[in-house]
Amino acid sequence: LLLWSRAGNGSAILRVWALLFLFFAADDAFRLHERVGGVWIGGKLGVEHGYDYGQVLYAGALAASLALALLICWRRAEAGARRISWGLVGAVALLGGAGVGVDFVSAIVNPDRFQEALVLLEDGGEMVAMTVALWVALRPGTDGVSAPPAAR
């Protein structure tokens, strides 16, 4: 919602980001990556760890769709919206590394031996990534918005 509210005329790219983060929230709440990726896609693969590979394929399809939508909007984006987008690319890369990468590794390696460390790494990485995304979205000066006046 913050990104949507900052999107002015010609900032469709920020609207794409806002919709993406809305999707992330829905995906997390309804466990779409597990239901669609793990059960539906993974079940059709017919391989060992199909559930886990299905989740990775689901994330890859989402990433490709995101990249296409962002590339389409990039050409018309204002300079400030592009700067915000670069920060969000980093946050989403961190989120993907923690949420998809660490989750995949935890399924492939011996989960019992490293389970607590991997859960901490995954959850902690996701929290850091979302904190970075929020900071990027609220950071003054990235799109011509000046910093708020200091408290007196």
Side-chain angles (χ1 to χ4, degrees), residues 37-98:
V39 175
W40 190 70
I41 296 172
K44 295 186 181 307
L45 293 176
V47 297
E48 185 180 1
H49 297 291
Y51 180 86
D52 305 304
Y53 286 115
Q55 288 187 54
V56 171
L57 289 173
Y58 172 83
L62 176 66
S65 301
L66 164 69
L68 179 62
L70 291 174
L71 286 173
I72 290 170
C73 295
W74 184 264
R75 295 175 53 98
R76 296 186 180 175
E78 300 166 349
R82 287 182 181 187
R83 283 191 296 273
I84 291 172
S85 291
W86 279 118
L88 294 174
V89 165
V92 169
L94 182 59
L95 182 65

Side-chain angles (χ1 to χ4, degrees), residues 9-131:
N9 294 337
S11 292
I13 197 164
L14 295 183
R15 288 188 174 91
V16 170
W17 281 112
L19 291 173
L20 175 71
F21 280 100
L22 179 65
F23 176 78
F24 285 160
D27 179 76
D28 190 49
F30 299 115
R31 302 175 63 149
L32 298 175
H33 61 284
E34 293 173 352
R35 292 180 178 161
V36 175
V39 175
W40 190 70
I41 296 172
K44 295 186 181 307
L45 293 176
V47 297
E48 185 180 1
H49 297 291
Y51 180 86
D52 305 304
Y53 286 115
Q55 288 187 54
V56 171
L57 289 173
Y58 172 83
L62 176 66
S65 301
L66 164 69
L68 179 62
L70 291 174
L71 286 173
I72 290 170
C73 295
W74 184 264
R75 295 175 53 98
R76 296 186 180 175
E78 300 166 349
R82 287 182 181 187
R83 283 191 296 273
I84 291 172
S85 291
W86 279 118
L88 294 174
V89 165
V92 169
L94 182 59
L95 182 65
V100 178
V102 175
D103 190 45
F104 184 73
V105 168
S106 70
I108 302 302
V109 300
N110 184 354
D112 296 333
R113 187 171 181 191
F114 302 106
Q115 188 63 34
E116 289 180 19
L118 290 171
V119 167
L120 179 65
L121 186 61
E122 179 182 354
D123 291 346
E126 289 173 348
M127 285 187 250
V128 168
M130 293 309 293
T131 301

